[in-house]
Amino acid sequence: MALLAIALLAGFFTQDIMAWFTSSTPITLEEHCQLSTTACEQNNAVITISQDTAQPLLPFSLQANWPQSDASQLNLTLQGHEMEMGTARFAIAKLADGQYQGEVLLPACTMENMTWVGTLSDGKQSINVAIRMAR
């Protein structure tokens, strides 16, 4: 009976146990382009957002000038830095050659302030980005 209980518990927590053993080094924000109304340049791409601090459940605009890209859209993938919030994905549409713009709507969380980290990618090259969110 005890072995059955142990087996059930181990099965239930397998994903958490595996994540603990395979966790990589923590993400440092210094290697991320901190997005705001001030342009951030990384790998010849210039990225801005329409406000300095995002608010949960209020959309904001992301603009990217990525002259080396010929992708039909950019893909923005974000995850919570201070709190696990799952993965948020957004398509950033192409307006003209090298010009992209899209709307981003971040989910609400229980924290007063949080940073979302991830990548903006054209499928060939990725840029590390971070967005500060406050309620």
Side-chain angles (χ1 to χ4, degrees):
M1 186 65 159
L3 289 177
L4 179 62
I6 291 171
L8 286 173
L9 283 174
F12 184 76
F13 291 106
T14 299
Q15 187 174 7
D16 293 331
I17 294 167
M18 291 302 295
W20 185 72
F21 280 114
T22 60
S23 65
S24 58
T25 46
I27 295 172
T28 58
L29 294 177
E30 292 79 31
E31 62 194 29
H32 287 74
C33 205
Q34 301 291 324
L35 301 185
S36 69
T37 56
T38 303
C40 180
E41 185 174 347
Q42 193 177 89
N43 298 338
N44 296 320
V46 179
I47 308 160
T48 59
I49 58 175
S50 57
Q51 54 200 62
D52 288 324
T53 305
Q55 293 179 313
L57 303 176
L58 291 176
F60 61 91
S61 178
L62 181 145
Q63 299 83 28
N65 180 0
W66 198 323
Q68 289 81 10
S69 179
D70 59 356
S72 61
Q73 71 178 25
L74 302 178
N75 296 307
L76 176 64
T77 304
L78 298 170
Q79 295 180 327
H81 179 65
E82 295 88 357
M83 178 181 200
E84 175 57 46
M85 294 286 295
T87 302
R89 291 183 172 86
F90 305 92
I92 309 301
K94 183 176 187 174
L95 299 177
D97 284 345
Q99 300 293 317
Y100 299 86
Q101 183 174 338
E103 192 172 89
V104 178
L105 178 70
L106 296 174
C109 76
T110 59
M111 296 180 72
E112 204 53 44
N113 298 295
M114 190 173 128
T115 306
W116 288 84
V117 295
T119 58
L120 183 64
S121 174
D122 70 348
K124 296 177 186 172
Q125 187 176 13
S126 293
I127 296 172
N128 293 327
V129 296
I131 299 172
R132 190 71 180 146
M133 183 176 78
R135 283 196 274 160

